[in-house]
Amino acid sequence: MKYIDEFNDPELARRLLDEIRATATRPWALMEVCGGQTHSIIRHGIDQLLPEQVELIHGPGCPVCVTPLEVIDKALEIASRPGVIFCSFGDMLRVPGTGRDLFRVKGEGGDVRVVYSPLDALELARRHPDREVVFFAIGFETTAPANAMAVHQARHLGLTNFSLLVSHVRVPPAVEAIMTAPACRVQGFLAAGHVCSVMGMAEYPELAERFRVPMVVTGFEPLDILEGIRLAVRQLERGEHRVENAYPRAVREEGNPAAVRMIEEVFEVTDRNWRGIGPIPLSGWRLTDAFRSYDAEHRFDVSGIRTEEPAECRSGEVLQGLIKPTECEAFGTTCTPRNPLGATMVSSEGACAAYYLYRRMNAATPQAERAAREEMNPVA
C-alpha cells in the first residue's frame, strides 16, 4: 500500500489538525470542488475534527450530479432505440431522468452496458458493425482526454457506428459562477487535484486574484485534504489570495500537455447547463466540426428534448453549497439510493450519497455501510 498508507497516518493527521487549530483565529468557509474529496471528508469525519472556526462547504464537483436532466432524457431516448448499444459508467444507471433511469431501460430490454473506459465502447463498435454504439461522455476535465481519444481512434479506424453523447463540464467557469452568486459564502477553495493533473493550474491565478480567494490544489487522501485546509487557512489569516499546489506528487504547473492537445483537437468550449444550477457560460465542451459526425445528439436527432427539474428535489442547493444534504426534508425518507429524487443521492461522488453512506445513525458499522453501498449499486 505504498503511497496510500502514508497519507492515512493518524499521528500526522493529528499534527495537521493541531496546526489548523493554532492558525485559525476567525471563522472561515472553504469549498472543496471535487466530489471525491467530499466523500473522503465525510467518510473520515474530517469536517467534524476541524475547529469550529473552519467550515467546509461541498461544491458542484460531481460530474454525474451536474449532468442536466434533459441530457439524461436524451440518453434514455437513445438507449431505448432498437439497434443501439448504449454504454455508460455504472454510476449513471440510477441517475433519475423524467420518470425512469437507464437501469429501467435495461430492464425493459434496452441494450445498456456498463463499461470501464470509452475504449471498451469503441471495441464493441468494432465487433458489432451492424449496431450503433453510443458512449455517454460525461465528466470534468479528467475524463475528457480518454473520450477525445476514443473519437480520434474511431475516425482513424474508419468506424462509422460509434458516437458520443457529450455532457462535459469545466471547473474554472463553475468557480466563477459560485463566486458571483448573491448567496456565496466561500472564502477559499480546495481545487480538484485530478483536474489540475490534466489541465495544469494556469486558469486559477486570475480567479484567485479577481475574487481574492486562496485556491489550494488538493489530493484525496485524509492528509492531502488536511494539508490543503492548513494552507488555505494560513493564506486567509495572512490576507493572501494565491494558488498553491499541495498535490505535487500528481500535479505539475503545466498539467499534461499531450492530454490537453488531444482535448483541443477534438472538443471546443461551449455554454453548458448544469443540473440544479442552470446555464454557465463557456463551462463545457462539445465536439468540433471536424468530429461532429460522432455526436450522438445530432445523429439520433434528440436535440429538441427539454425538461423541468422536480420541485421537491433540493440537489441544486446542495451542489451550490447552500445547504448540507441533511437539511433537505426528503433526505433519507422520500429520497434514498433506491428511489432518488436527484443524482446527488446515487452518484459515487454525490454529497447526498456521502452523507447517506457515512453520516446516518444506523450506518455506524461496516455491515450497515456495506448494505448502503449495495443499495446504491444494485447492478454491481
Side-chain angles (χ1 to χ4, degrees):
M1 296 298 289
K2 187 169 176 59
Y3 304 124
I4 296 295
D5 285 350
E6 290 88 342
F7 296 94
N8 287 277
D9 188 312
E11 181 56 37
L12 290 178
R14 278 190 288 269
R15 292 181 196 174
L16 285 170
L17 283 164
D18 287 342
E19 288 191 46
I20 294 168
R21 292 189 189 98
T23 303
T25 64
R26 298 169 49 191
W28 300 114
L30 306 176
M31 174 176 280
E32 82 276 1
V33 177
C34 173
Q37 292 170 341
T38 300
H39 271 250
S40 186
I41 288 165
I42 302 304
R43 179 178 185 180
H44 296 285
I46 292 172
D47 57 328
Q48 297 176 322
L49 295 171
L50 292 171
E52 62 180 10
Q53 295 98 322
V54 180
E55 178 189 2
L56 294 180
I57 299 174
H58 313 312
C62 166
V64 172
C65 303
V66 300
T67 301
L69 181 59
E70 63 187 47
V71 175
I72 301 297
D73 281 358
K74 290 172 184 177
L76 298 171
E77 168 64 24
I78 294 171
S80 300
R81 295 192 182 183
V84 169
I85 301 175
F86 193 89
C87 300
S88 172
F89 296 139
D91 55 0
M92 291 301 300
L93 266 65
R94 293 302 303 271
V95 176
T98 302
R100 58 179 181 163
D101 54 26
L102 285 169
F103 191 57
R104 177 170 293 184
V105 171
K106 181 178 177 68
E108 292 170 350
D111 195 346
V112 177
R113 305 193 190 188
V114 174
V115 296
Y116 297 96
S117 162
L119 297 179
D120 293 340
L122 190 68
E123 176 60 18
L124 284 171
R126 191 189 65 80
R127 287 174 15 213
H128 299 279
D130 59 328
R131 307 280 297 280
E132 286 285 344
V133 177
V134 181
F135 179 72
F136 203 175
I138 70 153
F140 287 103
E141 292 92 331
T142 43
T143 57
N147 292 335
M149 176 60 76
V151 171
H152 193 276
Q153 285 289 99
R155 187 171 71 172
H156 175 73
L157 296 171
L159 295 176
T160 59
N161 63 325
F162 177 78
S163 58
L164 300 181
L165 179 61
V166 180
S167 187
H168 272 299
V169 286
R170 302 173 57 239
V171 169
V175 170
E176 181 173 1
I178 290 164
M179 292 307 300
T180 54
C184 177
R185 298 188 298 111
V186 179
Q187 296 165 292
F189 285 92
L190 305 181
H194 55 357
V195 170
C196 293
S197 71
V198 174
M199 303 302 294
M201 301 187 293
E203 293 183 274
Y204 294 100
E206 188 272 333
L207 291 169
E209 178 65 29
R210 176 152 51 111
F211 297 110
R212 302 186 69 81
V213 292
M215 305 190 75
V216 181
V217 178
T218 306
F220 306 91
E221 298 301 324
L223 295 187
D224 289 325
I225 293 169
L226 287 171
E227 175 65 357
I229 293 169
R230 185 186 72 84
L231 294 175
V233 170
R234 186 176 69 176
Q235 281 199 49
L236 288 166
E237 290 283 339
R238 294 176 176 178
E240 298 173 350
H241 46 274
R242 55 191 173 83
V243 178
E244 282 190 88
N245 184 6
Y247 198 33
R249 69 183 187 277
V251 174
R252 297 179 297 177
E253 179 75 26
E254 69 277 15
N256 186 327
V260 173
R261 285 194 297 271
M262 179 59 67
I263 292 171
E264 291 176 345
E265 179 181 352
V266 174
F267 293 116
E268 63 185 9
V269 173
T270 186
D271 299 341
R272 183 68 70 189
N273 190 36
W274 293 50
R275 186 170 192 169
I277 297 175
I280 300 178
L282 305 178
S283 66
W285 278 310
R286 65 183 177 191
L287 291 167
T288 63
D289 287 341
F291 292 91
R292 194 59 51 82
S293 62
Y294 295 95
D295 189 336
E297 184 173 340
H298 293 285
R299 181 175 294 194
F300 293 91
D301 192 24
V302 292
S303 58
I305 292 178
R306 297 291 182 269
T307 57
E308 291 187 10
E309 294 283 351
E312 64 271 24
C313 180
R314 301 181 67 185
S315 62
E317 295 170 81
V318 173
L319 290 166
Q320 295 174 74
L322 300 177
I323 64 170
K324 296 290 194 294
T326 49
E327 296 177 67
C328 175
E329 299 82 359
F331 176 81
T333 56
T334 57
C335 182
T336 67
R338 287 286 185 187
N339 296 287
L341 294 177
T344 49
M345 181 56 86
V346 289
S347 169
S348 61
E349 294 188 350
C352 295
Y355 276 73
Y356 190 89
L357 272 172
Y358 307 119
R359 207 38 74 79
R360 294 183 308 152
M361 291 295 292
N362 65 341
T365 67
Q367 294 83 358
E369 181 181 323
R370 185 164 56 251
R373 285 191 179 279
E374 290 172 354
E375 185 177 357
M376 291 180 62
N377 300 285
V379 296

